[in-house]
mmCIF file of all heavy atoms in Angstrom:
data_model
loop_
_atom_site.group_PDB
_atom_site.id
_atom_site.type_symbol
_atom_site.label_atom_id
_atom_site.label_comp_id
_atom_site.label_asym_id
_atom_site.label_seq_id
_atom_site.Cartn_x
_atom_site.Cartn_y
_atom_site.Cartn_z
ATOM 1 N N ASP A 147 -15.536 8.589 -4.572
ATOM 2 C CA ASP A 147 -15.478 7.391 -3.850
ATOM 3 C C ASP A 147 -14.154 7.149 -3.039
ATOM 4 O O ASP A 147 -13.907 6.074 -2.590
ATOM 5 C CB ASP A 147 -15.706 6.187 -4.720
ATOM 6 C CG ASP A 147 -14.660 6.071 -5.830
ATOM 7 O OD1 ASP A 147 -13.905 7.021 -5.995
ATOM 8 O OD2 ASP A 147 -14.616 5.038 -6.538
ATOM 9 N N SER A 148 -13.402 8.214 -2.821
ATOM 10 C CA SER A 148 -12.265 8.075 -1.973
ATOM 11 C C SER A 148 -12.116 9.092 -0.889
ATOM 12 O O SER A 148 -12.579 10.201 -1.083
ATOM 13 C CB SER A 148 -10.959 8.034 -2.872
ATOM 14 O OG SER A 148 -10.697 9.312 -3.436
ATOM 15 N N ALA A 149 -11.511 8.697 0.187
ATOM 16 C CA ALA A 149 -11.344 9.574 1.327
ATOM 17 C C ALA A 149 -9.907 9.498 1.849
ATOM 18 O O ALA A 149 -9.319 8.334 1.999
ATOM 19 C CB ALA A 149 -12.263 9.175 2.473
ATOM 20 N N GLU A 150 -9.236 10.563 2.062
ATOM 21 C CA GLU A 150 -7.826 10.575 2.462
ATOM 22 C C GLU A 150 -7.807 10.872 3.967
ATOM 23 O O GLU A 150 -8.407 11.712 4.533
ATOM 24 C CB GLU A 150 -7.206 11.804 1.731
ATOM 25 C CG GLU A 150 -5.820 12.143 2.061
ATOM 26 C CD GLU A 150 -5.331 13.340 1.313
ATOM 27 O OE1 GLU A 150 -5.765 14.450 1.530
ATOM 28 O OE2 GLU A 150 -4.453 13.028 0.416
ATOM 29 N N LEU A 151 -6.954 10.010 4.624
ATOM 30 C CA LEU A 151 -6.776 10.168 6.092
ATOM 31 C C LEU A 151 -5.398 10.765 6.334
ATOM 32 O O LEU A 151 -4.377 10.248 5.817
ATOM 33 C CB LEU A 151 -6.815 8.799 6.786
ATOM 34 C CG LEU A 151 -6.578 8.836 8.320
ATOM 35 C CD1 LEU A 151 -7.692 9.574 8.993
ATOM 36 C CD2 LEU A 151 -6.402 7.447 8.855
ATOM 37 N N VAL A 152 -5.380 11.919 7.013
ATOM 38 C CA VAL A 152 -4.156 12.643 7.246
ATOM 39 C C VAL A 152 -3.973 12.621 8.796
ATOM 40 O O VAL A 152 -4.795 13.178 9.525
ATOM 41 C CB VAL A 152 -4.103 14.105 6.737
ATOM 42 C CG1 VAL A 152 -2.832 14.795 7.050
ATOM 43 C CG2 VAL A 152 -4.430 14.086 5.247
ATOM 44 N N VAL A 153 -2.818 12.042 9.212
ATOM 45 C CA VAL A 153 -2.456 12.004 10.657
ATOM 46 C C VAL A 153 -1.247 12.882 10.864
ATOM 47 O O VAL A 153 -0.232 12.694 10.179
ATOM 48 C CB VAL A 153 -2.212 10.527 11.069
ATOM 49 C CG1 VAL A 153 -1.643 10.509 12.494
ATOM 50 C CG2 VAL A 153 -3.373 9.645 10.931
ATOM 51 N N THR A 154 -1.419 13.807 11.814
ATOM 52 C CA THR A 154 -0.272 14.652 12.136
ATOM 53 C C THR A 154 0.135 14.442 13.623
ATOM 54 O O THR A 154 -0.656 14.493 14.468
ATOM 55 C CB THR A 154 -0.670 16.127 11.922
ATOM 56 O OG1 THR A 154 -1.155 16.334 10.666
ATOM 57 C CG2 THR A 154 0.568 17.059 12.151
ATOM 58 N N LEU A 155 1.402 14.079 13.726
ATOM 59 C CA LEU A 155 2.000 13.835 15.026
ATOM 60 C C LEU A 155 3.051 14.881 15.338
ATOM 61 O O LEU A 155 3.859 15.283 14.543
ATOM 62 C CB LEU A 155 2.701 12.500 15.095
ATOM 63 C CG LEU A 155 1.897 11.296 14.606
ATOM 64 C CD1 LEU A 155 2.811 10.125 14.333
ATOM 65 C CD2 LEU A 155 0.834 10.895 15.535
ATOM 66 N N THR A 156 2.973 15.421 16.553
ATOM 67 C CA THR A 156 3.946 16.415 17.056
ATOM 68 C C THR A 156 4.921 15.704 17.886
ATOM 69 O O THR A 156 4.560 15.086 18.929
ATOM 70 C CB THR A 156 3.325 17.563 17.734
ATOM 71 O OG1 THR A 156 2.309 18.160 16.952
ATOM 72 C CG2 THR A 156 4.314 18.671 18.116
ATOM 73 N N VAL A 157 6.247 15.721 17.453
ATOM 74 C CA VAL A 157 7.291 15.107 18.188
ATOM 75 C C VAL A 157 8.460 16.130 18.360
ATOM 76 O O VAL A 157 8.927 16.688 17.347
ATOM 77 C CB VAL A 157 7.851 13.869 17.364
ATOM 78 C CG1 VAL A 157 8.920 13.160 18.176
ATOM 79 C CG2 VAL A 157 6.799 12.898 17.012
ATOM 80 N N ASP A 158 8.837 16.335 19.590
ATOM 81 C CA ASP A 158 9.903 17.289 19.805
ATOM 82 C C ASP A 158 9.728 18.670 19.156
ATOM 83 O O ASP A 158 10.551 19.179 18.567
ATOM 84 C CB ASP A 158 11.233 16.745 19.470
ATOM 85 C CG ASP A 158 11.647 15.520 20.303
ATOM 86 O OD1 ASP A 158 11.190 15.406 21.407
ATOM 87 O OD2 ASP A 158 12.295 14.621 19.685
ATOM 88 N N GLY A 159 8.490 19.131 19.149
ATOM 89 C CA GLY A 159 8.095 20.409 18.580
ATOM 90 C C GLY A 159 7.996 20.440 17.056
ATOM 91 O O GLY A 159 7.668 21.505 16.500
ATOM 92 N N SER A 160 8.239 19.356 16.353
ATOM 93 C CA SER A 160 7.996 19.363 14.894
ATOM 94 C C SER A 160 6.914 18.358 14.561
ATOM 95 O O SER A 160 6.717 17.405 15.232
ATOM 96 C CB SER A 160 9.369 18.989 14.169
ATOM 97 O OG SER A 160 9.721 17.732 14.461
ATOM 98 N N ASP A 161 6.270 18.625 13.424
ATOM 99 C CA ASP A 161 5.210 17.733 12.978
ATOM 100 C C ASP A 161 5.679 16.704 12.010
ATOM 101 O O ASP A 161 6.495 16.943 11.154
ATOM 102 C CB ASP A 161 4.077 18.667 12.291
ATOM 103 C CG ASP A 161 3.360 19.508 13.280
ATOM 104 O OD1 ASP A 161 3.313 19.160 14.518
ATOM 105 O OD2 ASP A 161 2.639 20.435 12.860
ATOM 106 N N GLN A 162 5.103 15.555 12.110
ATOM 107 C CA GLN A 162 5.339 14.429 11.251
ATOM 108 C C GLN A 162 3.926 14.143 10.654
ATOM 109 O O GLN A 162 2.937 13.974 11.391
ATOM 110 C CB GLN A 162 5.763 13.183 11.938
ATOM 111 C CG GLN A 162 7.076 13.359 12.661
ATOM 112 C CD GLN A 162 8.269 13.138 11.744
ATOM 113 O OE1 GLN A 162 8.253 12.251 10.919
ATOM 114 N NE2 GLN A 162 9.239 13.981 11.904
ATOM 115 N N GLN A 163 3.755 14.097 9.319
ATOM 116 C CA GLN A 163 2.442 13.887 8.698
ATOM 117 C C GLN A 163 2.499 12.577 7.895
ATOM 118 O O GLN A 163 3.343 12.361 7.095
ATOM 119 C CB GLN A 163 2.115 15.030 7.816
ATOM 120 C CG GLN A 163 0.719 15.013 7.405
ATOM 121 C CD GLN A 163 0.298 16.420 6.638
ATOM 122 O OE1 GLN A 163 0.794 16.528 5.526
ATOM 123 N NE2 GLN A 163 -0.447 17.178 7.361
ATOM 124 N N ILE A 164 1.469 11.782 8.157
ATOM 125 C CA ILE A 164 1.317 10.523 7.531
ATOM 126 C C ILE A 164 -0.017 10.502 6.788
ATOM 127 O O ILE A 164 -1.052 10.771 7.480
ATOM 128 C CB ILE A 164 1.426 9.307 8.398
ATOM 129 C CG1 ILE A 164 2.870 9.340 9.101
ATOM 130 C CG2 ILE A 164 1.140 8.010 7.763
ATOM 131 C CD1 ILE A 164 2.996 8.342 10.151
ATOM 132 N N THR A 165 -0.035 10.286 5.481
ATOM 133 C CA THR A 165 -1.316 10.350 4.731
ATOM 134 C C THR A 165 -1.602 9.024 4.091
ATOM 135 O O THR A 165 -0.755 8.463 3.434
ATOM 136 C CB THR A 165 -1.198 11.442 3.650
ATOM 137 O OG1 THR A 165 -0.857 12.646 4.250
ATOM 138 C CG2 THR A 165 -2.462 11.542 2.858
#
Side-chain angles (χ1 to χ4, degrees):
D147 60 350
S148 68
E150 174 180 71
L151 178 66
V152 180
V153 174
T154 305
L155 308 166
T156 304
V157 182
D158 296 329
S160 66
D161 288 343
Q162 301 277 320
Q163 193 171 71
I164 299 173
T165 304

